[in-house]
Amino acid sequence: MGIMQSLIEIQQKLLPDLLVVLKKRYLILRQVMLSDMIGRRTLAASLEMTERVLRAETDFLKTQGLLHIEAAGMRITEAGQRLLDEMEPLYKQMFGLSDLEERIRKRYGLKQVIVVPGDSDSLPHTKRELGLAGCAVLRKYMEKDDVVAITGGTTLAQVANQLTTQTPLKGNWFVPARGGLGESLDYQANTLASTMAKRTGAQYRLLHVPDHLGEEAYTTLMQEPNVREIVEVIRSARIVVHGIGDAMVMARRRRVDGSFIEALKAEGAHAEAFGYYFDRNGAVVHRMPTIGLRLEDIMATEVVIAIAGGSSKAEAIAAIMRFGRDDVLVTDEGAALGIVAQLDEEEKQA
Amino acid sequence: MGIMQSLIEIQQKLLPDLLVVLKKRYLILRQVMLSDMIGRRTLAASLEMTERVLRAETDFLKTQGLLHIEAAGMRITEAGQRLLDEMEPLYKQMFGLSDLEERIRKRYGLKQVIVVPGDSDSLPHTKRELGLAGCAVLRKYMEKDDVVAITGGTTLAQVANQLTTQTPLKGNWFVPARGGLGESLDYQANTLASTMAKRTGAQYRLLHVPDHLGEEAYTTLMQEPNVREIVEVIRSARIVVHGIGDAMVMARRRRVDGSFIEALKAEGAHAEAFGYYFDRNGAVVHRMPTIGLRLEDIMATEVVIAIAGGSSKAEAIAAIMRFGRDDVLVTDEGAALGIVAQLDEEEKQA
DNA sequence: ACAGGCGGGACAATTCATGTCCCTGGTGTG
DNA sequence: CACACCAGGGACATGAATTGTCCCGCCTGT
């Protein structure tokens, strides 16, 4: 046991609710940080606290010089930011997130696992946090003149909309991993690639074709020189950042026809990632030709980063991890708990 | 810095109220341990707590299995003893500062001593903390329609620039304690008085005269009606907030002539405060007429607050404390350690 | 055997925490 | 430049928790 665990255990004997209060205040401070500027009532709602209780806490944080409160709302101070940064690793140890990380990392042979507090299913702000953590990871692995392929989805959108860099990434390229998927424009891979490039001063290319194609259309399009050109860039990506979805949810969202959905069901499709469907063991179900990144391209990619959270996605995430091509997983507490629950099951049966 | 130290610092920022409770419970447990077996009322008396409050705590410690309570009194349990042993180093780190405070407070008969962590000499942000603590003290002692006289200096500037109030102090006055001292404008008493007044919605008056004057100039100026008026306000101050400086450093900064510096040296001047020089025993050296606050005015002031930090100022602070007119001292760990080192010397010689 | 001091019960007084609503004012938007 | 909206802060009733004070019956050390 770490020195910190014993330290906290000692204190908890004398102050049993120490961790409760510490967590509460930390989460408030963190939420304010994530929100840039936020009002009391909005904050209370997003943290599921009553207004008055939150107010007592923010008043306290103000007197501690960690929050700035002004007419337009509250904002974190420099000291508050410093405190948050210092506290992050401690928080993870205290609340067992680093244990979850390590356990998942080992089981699936990943390079790195990051678990952020919360559950995207129930707490909307958790997705922001997921996005922020995703940004940090992406920055860590990106190198000069890299090509980064990204998929779409709401979680990836959180990454795109929060991505920043200290210096413009002039030589880097952001490209969509796949074509259009019939979802809302805001979450299209094309949109996100362009957003990320604009926010970081990098270049981007777009892929203006639908993702799922018949054989004939595929052949025709691949003969177009400008399509070929961008496809070549995409398939040379060194980094892939992708979300993970539930197979049925994704299939419906893509408005594929009923018979296809039935086929997926019959084949036991559980999860979806970078346009492919996987069963619960991580085996690919239903390959089909695509203009974008193919499985064989992904196998050749150096860094594959998965970003997905929410307890409802635990199974899907586990399935993709079993597929085994990912290097980094960024998820949240809700999903991570679901995943380790599955690990417990596995071990019990063994 | 150790992980323990950083955890403690975070807790001090985030849970200062809980740490007070922690200390209380620790001290109760320790007292029980030292007493072998002790009754509730006796214990309450020796810890200067009321019976009922102590009882709430001992009930709690009992449920935590740290105390054994029987008909003959209470006794520490094995678990309690273990906790106490493990907690000792932790306690020292957590509350080392409060012990310093209490020691200094008692020795110099002060109302209150505040020691902030750090050393202004080496850690620049410590001065900010000093200023913030100074603000809290000032707010605590200020009352309706008070006149507050302040001196200049970089430390006091930190107070001025961070001072806030919940409601505007319409009836209060901030005034400079002394006239111009030939330092940078930013640290002039005049500047600080006006800053503080503006930040708190209070009134202020300025003293537009040099501090050190010849007899003749003094007499002439004091006959000016507008000078007389403001001087009367200044001399009626109920609160004085002042910094403390090293005598030689201050003398040089004020560009007094060489012969004066030699005279100061010969008289053993060590410290400077509110325009006067003191030797290491706190005796005043070299009085001279001033338009601003005179020593006799300070003797009549109700609340005198000293704010100064940095290990290099320990001796100067101690000298001013020996002078004995201060009620409150706000300092930092660096200076406080130097001061108690001197106390240790004193005790060794006695 | 007994007296003093023990823990624990009781309870009124008071403080404190909390949920809720309102008000004024600043900010961003059109 | 005007407006609408949402911000923080004030106010307050209510209910919970804390606290000071007293008492009682019992154990225990002498």
Side-chain angles (χ1 to χ4, degrees):
Chain A
M1 179 178 25
I3 183 172
M4 192 166 75
Q5 262 65 30
S6 58
L7 196 67
I8 288 185
E9 256 177 42
I10 294 170
Q11 294 191 32
Q12 275 201 293
K13 284 259 164 129
L14 289 178
L15 284 173
D17 50 0
L18 177 114
L19 282 189
V20 177
V21 180
L22 191 66
K23 185 172 189 171
K24 182 169 64 176
R25 291 182 179 165
Y26 173 80
L27 291 179
I28 292 172
L29 205 54
R30 199 180 58 125
Q31 184 60 26
V32 173
M33 182 269 284
L34 292 173
S35 312
D36 252 17
M37 171 88 70
I38 191 172
R40 193 207 311 147
R41 277 164 273 256
T42 318
L43 184 58
S46 78
L47 290 168
E48 295 178 300
M49 306 172 78
T50 62
E51 187 191 327
R52 195 62 183 74
V53 175
L54 176 73
R55 189 165 159 189
E57 297 299 341
T58 53
D59 282 353
F60 163 81
L61 291 171
K62 179 188 168 190
T63 68
Q64 291 298 104
L66 304 172
L67 281 188
H68 237 266
I69 298 190
E70 34 189 300
M74 30 197 154
R75 180 195 290 283
I76 195 165
T77 65
E78 205 181 313
Q81 183 63 56
R82 219 177 315 126
L83 182 82
L84 272 184
D85 292 343
E86 281 173 15
M87 186 153 169
E88 191 190 317
L90 300 188
Y91 180 90
K92 288 203 167 181
Q93 277 192 54
M94 278 183 226
F95 298 102
L97 298 190
S98 51
D99 291 343
L100 294 179
E101 289 174 351
E102 188 56 16
R103 183 117 181 258
I104 295 171
R105 193 190 67 74
K106 272 200 170 163
R107 167 61 182 81
Y108 296 114
L110 297 162
K111 276 202 188 73
Q112 189 182 4
V113 173
I114 291 172
V115 176
V116 303
D119 186 334
S120 303
D121 287 349
S122 48
L123 304 167
H125 73 261
T126 306
K127 256 197 173 139
R128 275 186 69 100
E129 179 76 353
L130 220 45
L132 216 53
C135 290
V137 165
L138 185 53
R139 272 195 298 270
K140 175 176 170 184
Y141 288 97
M142 263 175 76
E143 293 173 8
K144 205 167 173 310
D145 300 330
D146 268 349
V147 174
V148 180
I150 58 167
T151 68
T154 55
T155 308
L156 270 290
Q158 291 288 348
V159 178
N161 292 319
Q162 295 183 92
L163 189 64
T164 53
T165 44
Q166 294 186 331
T167 50
L169 309 172
K170 282 201 110 179
N172 291 88
W173 290 82
F174 285 97
V175 295
R178 310 272 298 212
L181 288 174
E183 295 175 74
S184 150
L185 177 71
D186 288 341
Y187 311 132
Q188 289 286 343
N190 269 339
T191 312
L192 302 189
S194 110
T195 303
M196 292 169 97
K198 283 175 190 158
R199 290 182 61 90
T200 57
Q203 324 266 356
Y204 66 96
R205 299 298 299 269
L206 300 181
L207 184 59
H208 295 294
V209 298
D211 186 60
H212 281 53
L213 287 173
E215 282 286 344
E216 194 183 336
Y218 174 80
T219 319
T220 315
L221 273 172
M222 281 303 274
Q223 277 161 1
E224 288 285 324
N226 51 351
V227 171
R228 286 186 74 96
E229 187 200 349
I230 156 81
V231 166
E232 260 171 41
V233 177
I234 290 176
R235 293 185 178 171
S236 74
R238 200 183 68 91
I239 301 181
V240 177
V241 185
H242 67 91
I244 294 174
D246 179 87
M248 291 308 134
V249 173
M250 290 304 292
R252 276 192 212 96
R253 197 177 295 166
R254 285 177 185 167
R255 305 212 196 99
V256 298
D257 52 45
S259 64
F260 183 72
I261 291 191
E262 286 308 315
L264 282 179
K265 257 189 200 156
E267 286 163 318
H270 257 73
E272 184 275 349
F274 33 80
Y276 291 87
Y277 293 91
F278 299 79
D279 69 15
R280 61 182 324 144
N281 297 316
V284 179
V285 199
H286 234 88
R287 312 177 72 119
M288 49 179 56
T290 174
I291 297 280
L293 270 194
R294 295 157 303 181
L295 267 184
E296 61 227 72
D297 301 317
I298 290 171
M299 298 314 278
T301 303
E302 280 187 47
V303 185
V304 181
I305 301 172
I307 306 182
S311 48
S312 64
K313 280 195 185 168
E315 280 206 6
I317 295 170
I320 302 297
M321 291 304 116
R322 286 198 191 91
F323 174 63
R325 186 59 262 284
D326 278 284
D327 298 294
V328 181
L329 169 65
V330 179
T331 186
D332 61 23
E333 200 177 352
L337 287 171
I339 294 169
V340 300
Q342 285 191 31
L343 298 190
D344 287 341
E345 284 293 318
E346 286 177 13
E347 283 173 15
K348 211 167 65 185
Q349 287 177 8
Chain B
M1 179 177 23
I3 188 174
M4 179 152 105
Q5 192 58 38
S6 62
L7 178 63
I8 289 174
E9 273 177 24
I10 286 169
Q11 290 182 349
Q12 279 168 344
K13 281 272 182 191
L14 230 39
L15 312 161
D17 44 350
L18 292 192
L19 292 195
V20 171
V21 179
L22 186 71
K23 182 171 187 173
K24 181 169 67 178
R25 292 181 178 163
Y26 175 83
L27 291 177
I28 292 171
L29 206 53
R30 200 177 62 134
Q31 188 63 31
V32 172
M33 184 266 287
L34 293 172
S35 312
D36 247 20
M37 172 87 68
I38 191 171
R40 193 208 309 152
R41 276 164 274 256
T42 320
L43 185 56
S46 77
L47 289 168
E48 294 178 301
M49 308 172 76
T50 62
E51 185 192 330
R52 194 61 184 75
V53 174
L54 175 72
R55 187 166 158 190
E57 296 301 341
T58 54
D59 282 354
F60 165 82
L61 292 172
K62 179 186 167 191
T63 69
Q64 292 296 100
L66 305 170
L67 281 187
H68 226 262
I69 299 189
E70 35 190 296
M74 30 195 155
R75 181 193 291 281
I76 196 166
T77 64
E78 205 182 312
Q81 183 62 56
R82 215 177 317 127
L83 180 80
L84 223 42
D85 293 342
E86 287 172 343
M87 178 102 190
E88 193 190 320
L90 193 58
Y91 177 88
K92 282 204 175 164
Q93 279 197 53
M94 283 184 159
F95 303 108
L97 300 189
S98 50
D99 291 341
L100 292 180
E101 290 174 356
E102 186 60 13
R103 183 116 181 260
I104 295 170
R105 194 190 66 74
K106 273 201 169 163
R107 166 60 182 82
Y108 296 114
L110 298 162
K111 275 202 188 74
Q112 189 183 2
V113 174
I114 291 173
V115 176
V116 302
D119 187 333
S120 304
D121 286 353
S122 47
L123 305 165
H125 75 261
T126 306
K127 254 196 174 141
R128 279 184 67 99
E129 296 246 31
L130 218 47
L132 221 49
C135 290
V137 165
L138 185 54
R139 272 196 297 270
K140 175 176 170 183
Y141 287 94
M142 264 176 75
E143 294 176 9
K144 207 170 172 307
D145 299 329
D146 267 345
V147 174
V148 180
I150 57 169
T151 68
T154 56
T155 308
L156 271 289
Q158 290 288 348
V159 179
N161 293 320
Q162 295 183 91
L163 189 64
T164 54
T165 46
Q166 295 185 334
T167 51
L169 309 171
K170 281 202 113 179
N172 290 86
W173 290 82
F174 286 96
V175 296
R178 312 269 300 210
L181 289 173
E183 296 175 74
S184 151
L185 176 71
D186 288 347
Y187 311 131
Q188 289 286 343
N190 270 338
T191 312
L192 302 189
S194 109
T195 303
M196 292 168 99
K198 283 175 191 158
R199 289 183 61 91
T200 57
Q203 324 265 358
Y204 67 97
R205 298 298 300 267
L206 300 180
L207 185 59
H208 295 294
V209 299
D211 186 61
H212 282 53
L213 288 172
E215 280 283 348
E216 193 181 333
Y218 174 79
T219 319
T220 316
L221 272 171
M222 282 303 275
Q223 276 162 0
E224 288 285 325
N226 51 352
V227 171
R228 288 188 71 98
E229 188 200 348
I230 156 79
V231 166
E232 260 171 40
V233 177
I234 291 177
R235 293 184 177 171
S236 73
R238 199 183 71 89
I239 301 182
V240 177
V241 184
H242 67 90
I244 294 174
D246 180 87
M248 290 308 133
V249 173
M250 290 304 290
R252 276 192 212 97
R253 198 177 296 167
R254 285 177 186 166
R255 306 211 197 101
V256 297
D257 57 48
S259 63
F260 183 74
I261 290 191
E262 285 309 312
L264 280 179
K265 256 188 200 156
E267 288 164 308
H270 257 72
E272 183 276 344
F274 33 81
Y276 291 88
Y277 292 90
F278 299 77
D279 69 14
R280 61 183 323 145
N281 297 315
V284 179
V285 247
H286 237 87
R287 312 177 72 118
M288 50 178 56
T290 175
I291 297 280
L293 271 193
R294 296 157 304 182
L295 267 183
E296 63 227 57
D297 302 311
I298 290 170
M299 299 314 278
T301 302
E302 280 187 47
V303 184
V304 182
I305 301 172
I307 307 182
S311 47
S312 64
K313 280 195 183 167
E315 279 207 4
I317 295 171
I320 302 297
M321 291 304 116
R322 287 199 191 90
F323 175 62
R325 185 58 263 283
D326 280 282
D327 299 293
V328 181
L329 168 65
V330 179
T331 186
D332 63 23
E333 198 176 355
L337 287 170
I339 294 169
V340 300
Q342 286 192 32
L343 298 190
D344 287 339
E345 284 292 319
E346 286 178 17
E347 284 177 13
K348 211 167 63 182
Q349 288 178 7

